[in-house]
Amino acid sequence: MTDPSGVARPASAPLSRRRLLAAAAAAPSGLAATSRAQPGSDWPSQTVRYINIFPPGGATDTLSRLYCAKMTELTGQQFVVENRSGSGGNVGVDAIAKSRPDGYTIGLGSIAPHAIAPTLYASLPFDAAKDFTFVSGLWQLPNLLVVNNDLPARSVPELIALLKANPGKYAYGTSGIGTTPHLSGELLKQMVGTEILHVPYRGGAPALLDLLGGRVHLIMDNIPGLLPTAREGRIRALAVTGPQRSPAAPELPTMAEFLPGFEITSWGPSAAPPACRRRWWHGTRPSPGRRCSTPTWCAASRSSARRHGGRRPRRSPPTGRARRRGWRR
């Protein structure tokens, strides 16, 4: 069965912990070059469209606009963000894959459509292993566990006790099916051994609005989209999902301090259609590379609580593809 975006709905079978962790760890595959026309060496000579695969107002929107502002500054051409959301990022990356391969449409890749979706959905309108050229790494970051201020839980142990004592009573919101917030919630359910209602949204911003309104009770979404609201005291931050404490919020524990083995991080590269050969992007390498050495970009990176880098496009280690194959089983 497919949803209105043309993406098949995931099977109803429960997600095992092994499948959740394998999907979270998988990395994007390398892509074969084709013989179609390539962008010229004078790129960019006109405005570049950058597709953000999630809606406005969330963490990826903020980070994408920071990236486009810096690329505009470095290249002298406008990089304009266009939001194409839906189906956990699948609608947006499909638009990237099917865009004209002239270098003037690029966009955000994500762990959700590139690593999780191929193992979660029976069919997709794109091939995550063949339909993209990855330009550079942009960020890697943990999720942040936050709860509504009215929830009687001020720590992870108190939240665990509350959820176990009231199976099915509480709901967690996410930016969509197959995203790291979704996997984080499912992993929490399985490790705690209770039931929590999943409420998927079209992005992190609408999920946060419903958390503030009390319609959902907790969220585990990318840290840049939630930390400012928590600092304002409008929601309560309890923990991060990364392997170590975040330098942006060192006072917050990791989930693994209470649930050993709990670790989920998100990553995002910039991506283009497959005909934009990897060798062409070598000409643009100074721009993504220089962005990391400027004080403005580094300050923005720290305030957004992400690790960043202008990494060269590379093939995934065999373990990434092996994990995806194992998750399909």
Side-chain angles (χ1 to χ4, degrees):
M1 184 179 297
T2 59
D3 64 18
S5 67
V7 178
R9 294 178 183 173
S12 59
L15 302 177
S16 69
R17 182 182 176 193
R18 179 177 298 177
R19 291 172 66 189
L20 290 168
L21 295 176
S29 297
L31 304 165
T34 72
S35 60
R36 288 195 282 177
Q38 302 302 312
S41 60
D42 60 343
W43 182 92
S45 59
Q46 65 187 59
T47 297
V48 177
R49 180 175 65 141
Y50 177 98
I51 296 176
N52 175 25
I53 62 176
F54 294 103
T60 61
D61 191 56
T62 299
L63 297 173
S64 293
R65 292 178 190 279
L66 284 171
Y67 173 72
C68 287
K70 181 52 61 177
M71 290 299 290
T72 295
E73 176 187 330
L74 293 172
T75 66
Q77 292 291 343
Q78 289 292 318
F79 280 65
V80 179
V81 176
E82 175 184 321
N83 298 89
R84 296 283 295 273
S85 62
S87 191
N90 293 329
V91 171
V93 295
D94 185 47
I96 296 170
K98 292 178 171 58
S99 64
R100 184 176 178 181
D102 58 3
Y104 292 97
T105 297
I106 62 174
L108 174 66
S110 169
I111 184 175
H114 291 298
I116 300 172
T119 60
L120 182 63
Y121 291 90
S123 64
L124 292 165
F126 57 86
D127 187 325
K130 297 179 181 178
D131 287 351
F132 303 91
T133 289
F134 294 100
V135 183
S136 68
L138 296 180
W139 57 76
Q140 182 178 350
L141 65 160
N143 290 339
L144 178 67
L145 168 61
V146 297
V147 299
N148 180 278
N149 281 338
D150 293 333
L151 197 71
R154 307 191 68 84
S155 66
V156 174
E158 289 182 3
L159 177 63
I160 292 174
L162 184 67
L163 295 175
K164 293 183 73 171
N166 301 274
K169 179 179 179 180
Y170 298 104
Y172 74 96
T174 73
S175 53
I177 294 173
T179 58
T180 57
H182 180 201
L183 266 64
S184 297
E186 292 299 309
L187 186 58
L188 176 64
K189 285 169 54 176
Q190 292 185 15
M191 296 187 76
V192 171
T194 191
E195 183 59 35
I196 317 170
L197 177 64
H198 174 216
V199 183
Y201 294 83
R202 288 182 64 91
L208 176 57
L209 287 176
D210 270 7
L211 178 70
L212 290 167
R215 286 175 285 277
V216 295
H217 305 93
L218 62 140
I219 289 177
M220 280 185 277
D221 208 338
N222 297 165
I223 189 170
L226 297 177
L227 189 58
T229 307
R231 293 291 194 221
E232 294 170 359
R234 299 167 65 195
I235 54 177
R236 184 181 304 127
L238 300 185
V240 295
T241 65
Q244 62 273 325
R245 295 193 178 200
S246 169
E251 74 281 6
L252 293 177
T254 66
M255 292 292 292
E257 292 178 39
F258 309 100
L259 298 170
F262 194 113
E263 178 187 332
I264 289 183
T265 57
S266 179
W267 44 254
S270 53
C276 293
R277 294 180 179 175
R278 289 172 20 162
R279 62 176 175 81
W280 172 70
W281 292 107
H282 294 174
T284 73
R285 285 283 301 162
S287 294
R290 284 201 306 271
R291 81 181 194 280
C292 298
S293 62
T294 62
T296 300
W297 182 265
C298 291
S301 300
R302 285 193 295 270
S303 66
S304 297
R306 74 180 183 279
R307 296 194 298 275
H308 61 283
R311 295 190 292 269
R312 180 184 296 270
R314 61 178 176 83
R315 291 186 178 272
S316 299
T319 53
R321 288 188 291 272
R323 283 171 179 157
R324 283 193 288 271
R325 287 194 298 268
W327 210 43
R328 287 191 184 98
R329 298 191 190 103

